[in-house]
Amino acid sequence: MLLLAALDADAGLTTMRKAASDSASVDDLAPAHQAHLAHVDEAVGHVSFRHLLVRAAIVHRASLSERGSAHHSPAPALTESPEPRV
């Protein structure tokens, strides 16, 4: 879930959960939150990172297959969106 948040700064928690086949939880983001690397706002449904380099480091540390999966996993969740984002 952290990689999904790092790859798409505009993705909401609901989209991330659907992208992870509902197997992900906000609790998965707790270590990053506790380390003050990310802030999870459940009321708004958004994850923000302390610095852009934190996002870049998360993406960089992921394997090629993890990044590929994370890029493809939101597609089914986004088909339910009423309007495509530009």
Side-chain angles (χ1 to χ4, degrees), residues 44-58:
V44 177
H46 189 261
V47 178
S48 59
F49 291 92
R50 185 181 64 152
H51 194 280
L52 290 176
L53 290 177
V54 172
R55 287 181 57 213
I58 291 166

Side-chain angles (χ1 to χ4, degrees), residues 4-83:
L4 288 171
L7 287 170
D8 187 353
D10 295 327
L13 292 173
T14 303
T15 301
M16 287 188 275
R17 282 188 192 110
K18 287 179 183 178
S21 302
D22 292 323
S23 63
S25 162
V26 174
D27 295 337
D28 297 338
L29 301 170
H33 181 74
Q34 291 168 351
H36 303 286
L37 298 175
H39 175 72
V40 180
D41 188 342
E42 289 188 69
V44 177
H46 189 261
V47 178
S48 59
F49 291 92
R50 185 181 64 152
H51 194 280
L52 290 176
L53 290 177
V54 172
R55 287 181 57 213
I58 291 166
V59 174
H60 180 74
R61 297 270 310 173
S63 70
L64 185 59
S65 64
E66 288 171 327
R67 280 183 272 168
S69 294
H71 275 294
H72 293 291
S73 62
L78 296 175
T79 59
E80 298 173 9
S81 296
E83 293 287 326

